[in-house]
Amino acid sequence: MQKIIFVCRHNKFRSKVAEAMFNKLNKNKNIKAESAGLFVDSAHLFIEPIVLGEIGRRGYNIVGSPRQLTRELAEKFDKIIIVADDIDKEFFFDFKGKVMQWNISDCDPSDVVCIEDTIDDIEKRVEDFVSSLE
């Protein structure tokens, strides 16, 4: 079983969207994705309703609450995909060969157009990534 983890700052938008999309689009049951954030605290334990609505409208389902990425958790994965432009890849300096970075900007929770455009960007990248695994 190959395991992939999508990572962003708070695990409440970009990485959660990528996880939901990957797990629906990927047909290889030997590959599973999860997600986590580098900075998860009590102020970030929810997914924005607008994100849930937009994802649901597109046929995806976000599951689970945001969770913290720890070193022990990261070591359990074969591939780490940073779905953010605000996380330094050097944080993962000793995971050589396991890290990809998609430089995707975060959005203000009230910026519907930014959220829709970002979801479009993530969907395209996930589709391309899934195709590369086939």
Side-chain angles (χ1 to χ4, degrees):
M1 170 79 65
Q2 183 179 10
K3 293 177 69 179
I4 298 165
I5 190 162
F6 293 99
V7 178
C8 68
R9 286 188 69 79
H10 301 292
N11 191 220
K12 59 182 235 171
F13 176 34
R14 296 167 289 180
S15 58
K16 281 290 197 190
V17 168
E19 174 190 12
M21 290 177 169
F22 182 89
N23 285 331
K24 180 168 184 178
L25 297 173
N26 172 48
K27 301 306 179 203
N28 183 340
K29 298 308 170 196
N30 291 318
I31 305 173
K32 181 73 175 147
E34 297 179 27
S35 66
L38 285 183
F39 307 103
V40 177
D41 57 42
S42 59
H44 297 101
L45 292 179
F46 64 94
I47 311 298
E48 294 290 343
I50 186 135
V51 172
L52 292 172
E54 183 61 23
I55 286 298
R57 187 181 68 72
R58 294 169 185 236
Y60 300 104
N61 184 32
I62 292 178
V63 296
S65 298
R67 71 173 174 167
Q68 179 78 41
L69 181 69
T70 63
R71 182 154 234 52
E72 295 77 28
L73 180 61
E75 289 172 351
K76 295 178 182 178
F77 291 87
D78 303 298
K79 177 71 76 181
I80 298 167
I81 302 177
I82 304 166
V83 191
D85 65 350
D86 51 0
I87 292 177
D88 188 351
K89 188 176 173 182
E90 290 304 310
F91 181 86
F92 301 94
F93 71 93
D94 57 343
F95 288 92
K96 300 222 183 309
K98 289 177 64 169
V99 179
M100 292 175 66
Q101 185 160 16
W102 298 348
N103 289 310
I104 299 173
S105 298
D106 205 356
C107 297
D108 182 284
S110 65
D111 190 341
V112 176
V113 172
C114 180
I115 290 169
E116 290 172 347
D117 290 348
T118 300
I119 290 172
D120 287 343
D121 186 11
I122 294 170
E123 188 170 40
K124 174 72 172 111
R125 290 173 193 246
V126 169
E127 288 170 347
D128 291 346
F129 181 62
V130 167
S131 291
S132 78
L133 298 173
E134 295 173 349

